[in-house]
Amino acid sequence: MNVRLFKPSVGEEELQMIREAFERSWIGLGPNVSQFEAEWEKFTGCAQAVAVNSATAALHLALAVFRFPEGKKVLVPSLTFAATATAALYNRLQPVFVDSDPVTLGIDLEDLERKWDPDCVAVMPVHYAGHPVPMDELVPWARARGLKIVEDCAHTAGAIYKGKMLGLWGDIGCFSFEEKKLMTTGDGGMMVTNDPELFREVKAMRWVGIDKDNWKTAQSYVTANRDAMHWFYEIAVLGYKYNMNDLAAAVGLAQLKKLPAMNRRRSQIIRRYLNGLRRLPGVQPLLPFEPERYCYQMFGIRADRRDELMIHLKSLGIATGCHYTPLSLQPLFAPWGHNCPYIEEEHKRFITLPLHADLTDEEVDYVLEGIEAFCQAYVA
Ligand SMILES: *Cc1c(COP(=O)(O)O)cnc(C)c1O
C-alpha cells in the first residue's frame, strides 16, 4: 500500500468550471475571481474578501497595508510555515519568535507577554494544524498594546471559535488554497476583513496598485459610452502582482461547494485515528484535537522514538512529515532565533500522519496497525 500524506480532492466539477472559463475566454483577473470572493464572504460571514495568488502574498499584503516604520517588530510563532515570518522581512520588519503552548502548540500567551516590547506593531497568530489560538484572550491583550492582528488561517477554513469565525477575530485573516490545504486552487489565497478602508487598499495593492477591476474596464470598452476615458486608471499606492486568476477561481468555486463535506470527512478520519491511538503506548496525539468542533488541515502524533517510527512507517509505504522545524532554528532567521526553548526541543517528537479528504478507513487502519506493530516491538 502507498498512503499519501496530503492529496487534493479534485474531479469533474473543477474541470467543468475550468471549461466554462475557457469558453468565456477570460482566464485572468475576472468574473470568477469576483464570484469566488462573494462566495467566500458568504461562507465566512466577513464583510469583504480579496482573492490573491497565495497565502504568502496575503500575509505580505496584510502587513504592508499598515505601512509600519522600517525595523519595527512583529510577534510570530516559531512553529509555523516560513511565510508567516517572511511576511515581516518582506516589509523590512523584524520577526520576534514566540514559543508554543505545550498543550495546543499555538502561540504561547505567557511567552508573548515576555517577548513584547514597545517596538512591536503586530502579532500574527497561527491556528496550528487548525486548532484555534484562544483569540478571546489574545485579542484584548493585543488591543491593549496597540498591536494590529493578522490571523494566519492557512490550516483552517470555516471553523467557529467561541461563536466567531476564525479569520475574523483580528484585523485581517489570511487563508491558503495551496494544494495541501483544506481546499485548493492549485495555488491561491484569500484575505478577509470587516474594515472597508483596509479592504479598498488591499484590493488595489493586489493588482499593481490599480483600484479598478480590469474586466469591468474591458466591458466598458464596448458598452455605449460617450466617455473616451474608459481606459483611465490611477496608481496611488505601491502594489504587487498578487491577484488570483479566473482559472484558479474556477477550481476554487467548485472546491468551496465541497468544502463542508471534505471537512466532515477529515473530522471522521481524525476521530478514527484518535480512537485507534488510545490503545497504543508510547505515542500521543499531537494536540487536543476536537474534530467535531474545528477543521484540521493536519493530524499528527508525538513519539519518543520518532525517527525509528518514521522509518518503520516509510518501509510500509506510509508517507509522514514533521511540521515544522521551528523557524527560530532556521539559518535565515538566525539573527532573531534560538529563543523558543520548548518547541525547539519538542518538535523532535512530532510526526505528521496522512490526512486528506480521500483517505479511506482502510488506509487509516493500515497506518494505525503500522504504529501498533512498532509500539509492540518497542515494548517487547
Ligand atoms: C501553507 C501555509 C502558508 C502559505 O500558504 P501559500 O498559499 O502556500 O502561500 C502560510 N502559513 C501557513 C501556516 C501555512 O501552512
Side-chain angles (χ1 to χ4, degrees):
M1 212 187 290
N2 227 315
V3 187
R4 280 179 67 168
L5 185 56
F6 301 113
K7 185 174 97 50
S9 181
V10 288
E12 281 308 318
E13 298 83 354
E14 288 78 7
L15 280 174
Q16 182 53 35
M17 290 298 291
I18 290 174
R19 182 173 299 283
E20 286 170 23
F22 271 42
E23 283 161 4
R24 204 180 300 125
S25 235
W26 194 288
I27 57 178
L29 176 59
N32 275 349
V33 173
S34 297
Q35 196 192 334
F36 187 29
E37 288 166 340
E39 299 285 336
W40 197 259
E41 286 163 5
K42 251 188 270 165
F43 176 69
T44 59
C46 74
Q48 277 149 331
V50 180
V52 290
N53 56 19
S54 72
T56 303
L59 293 162
H60 179 180
L61 290 186
L63 288 181
V65 73
F66 294 113
R67 298 185 175 82
F68 298 123
E70 186 171 339
K72 292 289 182 187
K73 297 175 178 172
V74 179
L75 296 149
V76 297
S78 178
L79 186 69
T80 182
F81 183 64
T84 323
T86 55
L89 296 186
Y90 297 154
N91 285 290
R92 298 172 182 272
L93 302 166
Q94 300 189 63
V96 175
F97 291 113
V98 181
D99 216 334
S100 300
D101 179 286
V103 176
T104 65
L105 299 177
I107 196 163
D108 184 82
L109 298 184
E110 284 170 27
D111 197 39
L112 197 57
E113 175 68 40
R114 273 194 295 275
K115 297 279 170 67
W116 176 83
D117 73 29
D119 279 333
C120 293
V121 289
V123 57
M124 302 176 82
V126 178
H127 305 296
Y128 174 78
H131 201 77
V133 168
M135 297 303 286
D136 52 329
E137 294 174 52
L138 184 138
V139 171
W141 178 88
R143 294 297 182 218
R145 285 154 188 79
L147 299 176
K148 299 298 179 189
I149 303 166
V150 174
E151 269 178 276
D152 182 337
C153 296
H155 298 173
T156 185
I160 290 167
Y161 173 72
K162 300 210 170 164
K164 192 187 268 192
M165 181 69 66
L166 292 178
L168 297 183
W169 283 82
D171 296 287
I172 297 177
C174 299
F175 294 86
S176 174
F177 308 129
E178 194 262 349
E179 74 157 6
K180 296 186 280 299
K181 303 302 162 74
L182 291 152
M183 59 165 270
T184 189
T185 58
D187 272 306
M190 192 72 85
M191 305 176 72
V192 298
T193 184
N194 284 331
D195 181 333
E197 193 68 28
L198 286 181
F199 167 74
R200 217 159 6 86
E201 289 245 20
V202 160
K203 195 148 186 203
M205 288 170 80
R206 68 107 182 249
W207 174 243
V208 230
I210 300 172
D211 188 13
K212 205 168 176 185
D213 275 340
N214 75 326
W215 68 281
K216 286 183 188 148
T217 307
Q219 286 164 339
S220 71
Y221 288 163
V222 289
T223 50
N225 185 347
R226 295 171 63 85
D227 180 3
M229 295 297 281
H230 57 263
W231 51 270
F232 181 79
Y233 58 75
E234 234 169 7
I235 299 172
V237 297
L238 174 64
Y240 300 84
K241 187 61 174 65
Y242 280 173
N243 62 282
M244 183 177 277
N245 68 48
D246 262 24
L247 285 183
V251 177
L253 283 164
Q255 284 272 292
L256 181 51
K257 287 208 182 94
K258 301 177 179 179
L259 181 61
M262 293 195 292
N263 281 346
R264 276 195 298 278
R265 177 59 193 149
R266 283 168 178 274
S267 293
Q268 287 172 353
I269 293 166
I270 290 174
R271 181 52 65 198
R272 196 172 186 90
Y273 270 131
L274 291 173
N275 289 339
L277 286 171
R278 255 189 259 141
R279 61 176 198 268
L280 303 182
V283 297
Q284 304 89 39
L286 193 59
L287 48 85
F289 290 96
E290 295 184 67
E292 288 77 21
R293 184 172 270 174
Y294 306 121
C295 321
Y296 293 96
Q297 185 257 339
M298 288 195 288
F299 182 77
I301 53 175
R302 307 190 198 196
D304 294 333
R305 299 165 62 133
R306 194 268 309 261
D307 292 355
E308 290 157 272
L309 175 51
M310 254 186 184
I311 292 165
H312 171 73
L313 293 174
K314 202 189 287 196
S315 76
L316 297 171
I318 298 164
T320 60
C322 171
H323 296 85
Y324 300 87
T325 300
L327 296 183
S328 54
L329 293 179
Q330 294 288 6
L332 172 67
F333 297 112
W336 306 278
H338 296 277
N339 53 358
C340 299
Y342 174 75
I343 200 61
E344 286 169 13
E345 197 51 38
E346 183 66 10
H347 82 281
K348 295 174 189 162
R349 302 177 66 229
F350 290 3
I351 304 183
T352 310
L353 294 176
L355 178 65
H356 55 79
D358 293 339
L359 201 66
T360 65
D361 286 353
E362 291 68 33
E363 286 175 311
V364 175
D365 293 345
Y366 181 70
V367 175
L368 285 166
E369 284 157 23
I371 299 169
E372 187 168 18
F374 178 85
C375 291
Q376 280 167 354
Y378 170 45
V379 169

